[in-house]
Amino acid sequence: MRVLLAVSVVALSLGCARGVRLDSAVAGMKPATGKVYSNEAGEQVTIIPLEPHDSKKALLEFNGTKSELDGKVVIASVDRDRGTGYWTKWRGRTQRFVTVHDRGGFEDLILSPAGASGYTHLKPDTGRTAALKVEKVFARYEEAEEDGDLKPFLAFDRKFWTDQAEKELGEKLAEANKACGSKMASTIAWDTIPDPILDKLSIPSYCAGPLESLQQLCSRSEEAKRTVQQKVQTVECRVDAKAAVTLEAQKVIWSVTDGDLIQAEATTTYFTDNL
């Protein structure tokens, strides 16, 4: 009877404890010594490595970033290619929101939060690090996981990523129009870009090529500016069977493929010869 009672008590205590779910992303792990990074803008990132270290996992906590990551604790995979990168699955894509570089003994954390086209720098915050309670952050992640708070951010979100691409490309367009004194428009032919390609490629980077070349041309001469103003009204980016750049009735059609695009020098040469 005593044995049965003891087993029941142990089973009850295990069942009530957080972090014992077999499907938990932190099952079998525990927090190691963490560190807090911050900057004068009030952005804060807390990094807590998880043991065992060969799991190559860490928890990241975000505060003051003015993004949808604020107040959240997420799990990240760690790699050490060109700095220490922390990769997080977010809205169906694996993103590197945080990278830490050791620049000769000075740590530089580069933060590019969800929905941001730029990045900011943070440095170690000794005061906040000294006050850090890693167990509390670990418990917050377990609670969010169990309560389903992070679930809405795990599935692939096409609208989020298309909106993000439009925003980033719009910034490149503004730079090109400023350099050329023009009023060009840019479009992305989303009907040519299925989810697997959107998930795989950085569409803003791929689609920026012709805008960057036009911007460079306009910076060379007033004649180039006038030519672009007269002959280019729209730049369309699309995914096609073959990488190409063509000009049709004041419309630049920029085609990229899965992993290929016309390189910058060839793009500039095309505009020089055809505008």
Side-chain angles (χ1 to χ4, degrees), residues 7 29 50 60 143 193 213-214 222:
V7 170
M29 301 180 189
L50 296 176
L60 306 178
E143 290 168 5
I193 307 176
S213 289
L214 291 171
E222 290 299 318

Side-chain angles (χ1 to χ4, degrees), residues 77-226:
S77 297
V78 185
D79 72 28
R80 287 177 170 79
D81 179 24
R82 293 178 295 176
T84 303
Y86 296 85
W87 296 83
T88 301
K89 185 176 181 181
W90 196 259
R91 294 191 179 275
R93 297 179 65 178
T94 301
Q95 302 291 301
R96 184 172 58 183
F97 296 137
V98 173
T99 306
V100 178
H101 294 279
D102 186 343
R103 306 188 188 281
F106 170 75
E107 285 187 290
D108 177 26
L109 185 149
I110 300 174
L111 169 66
S112 181
S117 54
Y119 57 87
T120 55
H121 295 268
L122 292 78
K123 61 183 180 181
D125 188 321
T126 55
R128 288 187 171 92
T129 296
L132 176 63
K133 306 295 184 183
V134 297
E135 295 82 4
K136 289 186 176 180
V137 178
F138 189 82
R140 283 195 60 218
Y141 175 80
E142 291 178 296
E143 290 168 5
E145 188 181 55
E146 186 167 321
D147 296 341
D149 291 347
L150 297 175
K151 190 174 181 179
F153 301 99
L154 299 181
F156 185 75
D157 188 337
R158 181 178 177 87
K159 186 178 186 306
F160 179 87
W161 294 117
T162 56
D163 288 351
Q164 179 67 12
E166 295 275 8
K167 175 185 174 183
E168 292 186 35
L169 193 63
E171 293 172 355
K172 294 291 185 181
L173 175 66
E175 293 173 2
N177 275 328
K178 181 178 180 180
C180 296
S182 56
K183 296 181 180 180
M184 293 182 291
S186 68
T187 62
I188 301 174
W190 288 115
D191 58 330
T192 69
I193 307 176
D195 286 354
I197 297 298
L198 177 58
D199 184 24
K200 184 178 182 180
L201 300 183
S202 174
I203 296 299
S205 297
Y206 272 67
C207 290
L211 294 172
E212 292 172 345
S213 289
L214 291 171
Q215 180 180 348
Q216 290 174 3
L217 281 173
C218 288
S219 67
R220 296 177 183 176
S221 69
E222 290 299 318
E223 182 183 358
K225 288 183 181 181
R226 289 192 295 270

